[in-house]
Amino acid sequence: MIWNYRVRPVLFLALLTAATIPAVADSVKIGLIGEFSGPFQAYGRNIENGMRTYLKMHGDTYGGRKIEIIARDTTGPAPEVAKRLAQELLTGDKVDFLAGFGLTPNAMAVAPLATEAKVPMIVMNAATSSITTKSPYVARFSFTLPQMTAPMADWAVKNGIKQVYTLVADYGPGIDSENAFKKAFTAGGGEVVGSVRTPLANPDFAPFLQRIKDATPQAVFMFLPAGEQGIAFMKAFRERGLDAAGIKLIATGDLTDDDVLMAMGDPTLGLVTTHAYSAAHDSPENKAFVAAYREVSGGKRPNFMAVGGFDGMAAIAQVIEQLHGNLDGDKAMEILKGMKLMSPRGPIWIDPETRDIVQTVYVRRVQKVGGELFNVEFDQFKNVKDPGK
Ligand code: PHB
């Protein structure tokens, strides 16, 4: 090339420009793996709306980079599908974070891929205790079943319930809650007189409830994955005459999920449950969250999965900001460990030892407020860790 007087200044300018003006930063990509179709389709929608509510309230650019959500549908509890989606997101889209995970089997299937890729995996619902042990890149912003169940057992014993039959869904979170209930309830002097496990897919509760009715326990403790199954369970509980027989019902707040509480209707009035989030939680953070969520979701009420999505997104935003947009999986995990946030549910904290959430567990009763059914908090256990660890 001949360096004539015309080319040289142009070349010099081009080099100068390249050195001093940074290229427009790529977006930070979040691969959202959720249940967007099938019987658990509300999970994906609620989690995504929670994430988008955070971006609406606080902006979508952190550390100079815009956040982009790439949502993928597992179609239900489908570990093989979840794994394939994670592979595509990691190698094809080159996502910086994996997030979402309504159902335990999907989270379990993806955890080894997070390890391999060294990409943080932000769990926004799946609540089987052991999920966080499946990869050092998992951090959980939802809850665990033992964390919600042990306080329920304590409350039941202190409130005169001594004999309980348990009914749980026959997979990770159900088995966790059955074990946690038995442990805490018997430690407090109660007795578990029987236990049944119902299938995760298309359960018919009638025969199980008949068996429980025949055993005449004082109360039933139950856990089912939130949503449609709870509606079917409540209907069968009434139709089989368990409530008429005076058998009490206690549960984690997965039963009285804000997403379906109005659909369950007045038979839920008076139900006592334990959980980390109620749309009726009385705080300025929650009021702002509920209002923004309604706008994002077309008028819906947030539930505990929505708040998991919101808090998980808050954590991601903080990581990007602290790393000034220069993302690195290991550095991200160091920031996530010990992270403290003021959530719409109250203060939350990620235990650096376990990468699992520490939070307040509320005891709530279903009541009518302004003509609508809500889980109204009346007691609380502060700083509860997952007792399974
Ligand atoms: C789970 O699969 O881990 C799960 C699903 C729904 C719930 C709680 C836990 O309500």
Side-chain angles (χ1 to χ4, degrees), residues 12 19 56 67 72 85 89 97 120 126 132 174-175 196 202 208 227 240 302 332 341 361 385:
F12 177 71
K56 181 182 166 63
I67 286 181
R72 295 285 182 265
L85 295 174
L89 287 163
F97 292 87
T132 44
I175 295 162
V196 285
N202 308 312
F208 297 104
R240 288 277 141 179
L341 294 173
V361 179
K385 286 191 179 188

Side-chain angles (χ1 to χ4, degrees), residues 8-347:
R8 248 180 298 178
V10 174
L11 189 69
F12 177 71
L13 253 180
L15 286 173
L16 189 74
T17 310
T20 54
I21 303 176
V24 175
D26 287 345
S27 56
V28 173
K29 291 182 183 169
I30 303 175
L32 164 58
I33 298 180
E35 300 75 15
F36 289 94
S37 62
F40 299 97
Q41 61 178 339
Y43 292 17
R45 168 177 44 82
N46 292 334
I47 289 173
E48 181 169 4
N49 282 338
M51 294 169 78
R52 294 204 182 278
T53 301
Y54 186 85
L55 300 181
K56 181 182 166 63
M57 289 175 74
H58 301 284
D60 65 358
T61 302
Y62 298 89
R65 296 178 68 185
K66 202 172 151 76
I67 286 181
E68 182 189 347
I69 298 173
I70 306 175
R72 295 285 182 265
D73 179 14
T74 66
T75 71
E80 286 310 315
V81 178
K83 209 164 141 183
R84 176 173 54 73
L85 295 174
Q87 251 148 8
E88 288 168 6
L89 287 163
L90 289 165
T91 56
D93 298 288
K94 304 231 175 331
V95 295
D96 303 286
F97 292 87
L98 291 167
F101 308 102
L103 290 163
T104 285
N106 298 333
M108 292 283 198
V110 171
L113 300 183
T115 308
E116 213 175 288
K118 297 185 189 297
V119 166
M121 173 170 161
I122 309 298
V123 174
M124 296 169 165
N125 185 64
T128 299
S129 179
S130 63
I131 290 172
T132 44
T133 68
K134 302 297 173 194
S135 166
Y137 291 88
V138 169
R140 176 156 40 201
F141 286 80
S142 50
F143 63 101
T144 79
L145 259 307
Q147 189 180 39
M148 298 302 132
T149 301
M152 187 70 241
D154 285 353
W155 186 88
V157 168
K158 288 196 184 97
N159 285 273
I161 296 174
K162 300 286 182 218
Q163 272 192 324
V164 165
Y165 208 115
T166 65
L167 177 147
V168 301
D170 191 8
Y171 79 124
I175 295 162
D176 267 8
S177 66
E178 183 191 288
N179 291 336
F181 189 86
K182 279 185 181 159
K183 193 166 172 212
F185 195 60
T186 50
E191 186 194 355
V192 174
V193 295
S195 296
V196 285
R197 295 178 182 176
T198 57
L200 178 58
N202 308 312
D204 172 10
F205 300 114
F208 297 104
L209 287 173
Q210 188 59 50
R211 205 191 303 168
I212 294 177
K213 189 183 173 194
D214 293 344
T216 65
Q218 194 184 356
V220 174
F221 167 79
M222 61 79 87
F223 166 79
L224 293 169
E228 300 299 325
Q229 290 200 12
I231 300 178
F233 175 88
M234 283 302 290
K235 198 159 164 278
F237 195 83
R238 258 199 347 277
E239 281 173 4
R240 288 277 141 179
L242 279 83
D243 57 345
I247 299 173
K248 291 193 179 77
L249 181 58
I250 51 175
T252 59
D254 303 80
L255 175 63
T256 56
D257 171 13
D258 274 298
D259 202 40
V260 293
L261 192 53
M262 288 299 286
M264 288 176 163
D266 287 355
T268 59
L269 276 169
L271 269 181
V272 172
T273 61
T274 43
H275 221 277
Y277 179 69
S278 162
H281 180 66
D282 189 12
S283 73
E285 290 83 8
N286 189 45
K287 286 204 171 70
F289 170 61
V290 170
Y293 188 88
R294 282 195 195 282
E295 283 181 42
V296 168
S297 67
K300 285 186 159 288
R301 175 198 294 194
N303 69 348
F304 61 87
M305 297 194 197
V307 90
F310 181 89
D311 290 336
M313 183 56 97
I316 290 171
Q318 220 177 88
V319 167
I320 303 169
E321 192 72 16
Q322 284 190 38
L323 292 177
H324 309 291
N326 301 315
L327 293 179
D328 170 278
D330 291 310
K331 287 184 187 153
M333 293 314 299
E334 287 314 307
I335 295 171
L336 288 164
K337 289 179 198 170
M339 183 180 275
K340 288 192 165 83
L341 294 173
M342 189 40 132
S343 159
R345 61 185 121 170

